[in-house]
Amino acid sequence: MDIVRRARAMKEASAAARAQGKIVGFVPTMGALHEGHLSLVRRVKAQADLTVVSIFVNPTQFGPGEDFGRYPRDLPHDADVLAREGVDILFAPEPDEMYPPGAATFVEVAGLSDKLEGKSRPGHFRGVATVVTKLFEIVAPHVAAFGQKDAQQTIVIKTLVRDLLLNVEVLVLPTKREEDGVAMSSRNAFLTSDARRAARAIPRALEAARAALEAGERDAGRILDAAKAVIGGEPLLRIDYVELVDPERLDPVAKAQGDMLLAVAVFAGKTRLIDNIVLRS
Ligand code: AMP
């Protein structure tokens, strides 16, 4: 596996592969890799001739007071893991490579970016949309994979691909969970053992909402109450939001109908976790 630190070198490697008719597959990450990331890598690798994974902890998607400084970073370990997976290129740029001094250009997906995560983390999706646009420009993938774990992010990215006329196929792949149901996340490493145990209530809350729906409940407020009650039963958990929204515009629904996204953000101790499931009635 080649480790590429420079955007120009990455562009050249991708252009050379494309010139030979190779399919370039891409998985953007922030590192601290787990099986969720690797499920994306394996899926892309099955379709691609050149598999590129990026590791870049993107400063512009973190707000003031968030965990940018202490986000887990272990490039040598991640590089070993990716080499074992048969990844061809690990693209790991420094911040000043992605944001040249004076960088003043940002990508904003209006509207969508202000809901759910965007409401709690102003500017987050501007950072995400900007870095993904840059990464797509540098890596020039035919296909790129993202996790349903970050459901809103997948919608923001599909929208920017459509709006900016980018030639990238966006794959959205299922959330990988630990055996106890907790969604895999690099941030799980921050959890104390008590908070990690409490976090089990998050997937249970999602399932409680599903059970309410399946029992015939159609009132969104009461479906949400079923989820909130489970989370509320854990003193170490604090709800940021629990919302039932339509899966395209992410607007709250009052009555359960068709496909819906149940999305939650919960503090477990000091660590903010997100999770979601798609519901159908
Ligand atoms: P991150 O490193 O957290 O920015 O995540 C990189 C990619 O991996 C994103 O597309 C995430 O949605 C995806 N991802 C993160 N956690 C999981 C998971 N538990 N299952 C599947 N994909 C995931």
Side-chain angles (χ1 to χ4, degrees):
M1 184 179 73
D2 289 333
I3 301 182
V4 174
R5 314 292 306 218
R6 295 276 170 206
R8 180 174 298 278
M10 184 63 244
K11 280 193 180 204
E12 284 169 5
S14 179
R18 293 181 75 110
Q20 293 171 27
K22 290 185 174 172
I23 300 294
V24 179
F26 180 40
V27 181
T29 82
M30 299 203 300
L33 301 177
H34 51 66
E35 282 293 318
H37 297 115
L38 298 185
S39 68
L40 273 48
V41 171
R42 289 170 194 147
R43 173 64 181 78
V44 159
K45 196 172 149 53
Q47 185 173 342
D49 304 304
L50 184 83
T51 301
V52 181
V53 175
S54 65
I55 294 183
F56 179 63
V57 184
N58 173 37
T60 63
Q61 71 188 67
F62 290 80
E66 290 187 357
D67 53 1
F68 173 71
R70 56 186 195 99
Y71 196 84
R73 291 168 172 87
D74 189 349
L75 192 63
H77 176 259
D78 286 343
D80 281 351
V81 169
L82 294 174
R84 276 203 297 277
E85 292 292 326
V87 168
D88 299 296
I89 297 180
L90 165 55
F91 178 51
E94 294 295 336
D96 60 357
E97 187 74 359
M98 295 300 288
Y99 296 98
T105 307
F106 290 86
V107 177
E108 187 141 1
V109 179
L112 272 177
S113 297
D114 300 330
K115 299 167 184 175
L116 300 177
E117 281 298 282
K119 220 184 314 166
S120 294
R121 306 182 66 189
H124 171 67
F125 287 114
R126 181 184 196 242
V128 169
T130 300
V131 82
V132 170
T133 302
K134 287 173 185 245
L135 288 168
F136 281 180
E137 166 64 20
I138 295 165
V139 176
H142 295 86
V143 54
F146 296 85
Q148 173 67 19
K149 161 82 169 26
D150 298 282
Q152 187 173 9
Q153 171 170 278
T154 68
I155 299 167
V156 166
I157 288 163
K158 282 183 180 171
T159 304
L160 85 82
V161 164
R162 181 197 68 191
D163 294 355
L164 299 180
L165 310 155
L166 306 183
N167 275 325
V168 182
E169 180 193 352
V170 173
L171 300 178
V172 177
L173 300 176
T175 303
K176 283 273 174 198
R177 298 179 179 280
E178 305 285 359
E179 265 175 27
D180 62 2
V182 172
M184 291 183 179
S185 164
S186 304
R187 290 190 169 96
N188 290 353
F190 293 141
L191 297 170
T192 62
S193 56
D194 285 348
R196 175 63 185 75
R197 215 170 301 119
R200 292 178 190 166
I202 299 170
R204 280 201 283 114
L206 298 175
E207 290 306 325
R210 191 203 299 280
L213 181 71
E214 284 174 359
E217 184 59 67
R218 289 294 174 271
D219 179 79
R222 284 200 286 269
I223 292 169
L224 292 172
D225 284 345
K228 288 176 187 168
V230 175
I231 297 170
E234 278 294 345
L236 281 179
L237 300 185
R238 181 167 60 81
I239 292 174
D240 181 358
Y241 63 76
V242 176
E243 288 198 47
L244 188 65
V245 299
D246 81 80
E248 271 140 38
R249 293 304 311 157
L250 304 177
D251 290 322
V253 299
K255 285 262 171 262
Q257 199 183 21
D259 281 354
M260 296 157 291
L261 183 73
L262 175 60
V264 306
V266 172
F267 285 93
K270 292 195 168 89
T271 304
R272 188 172 177 283
L273 302 176
I274 59 171
D275 201 348
N276 68 84
I277 52 171
V278 174
L279 295 178
R280 188 162 299 153
S281 86

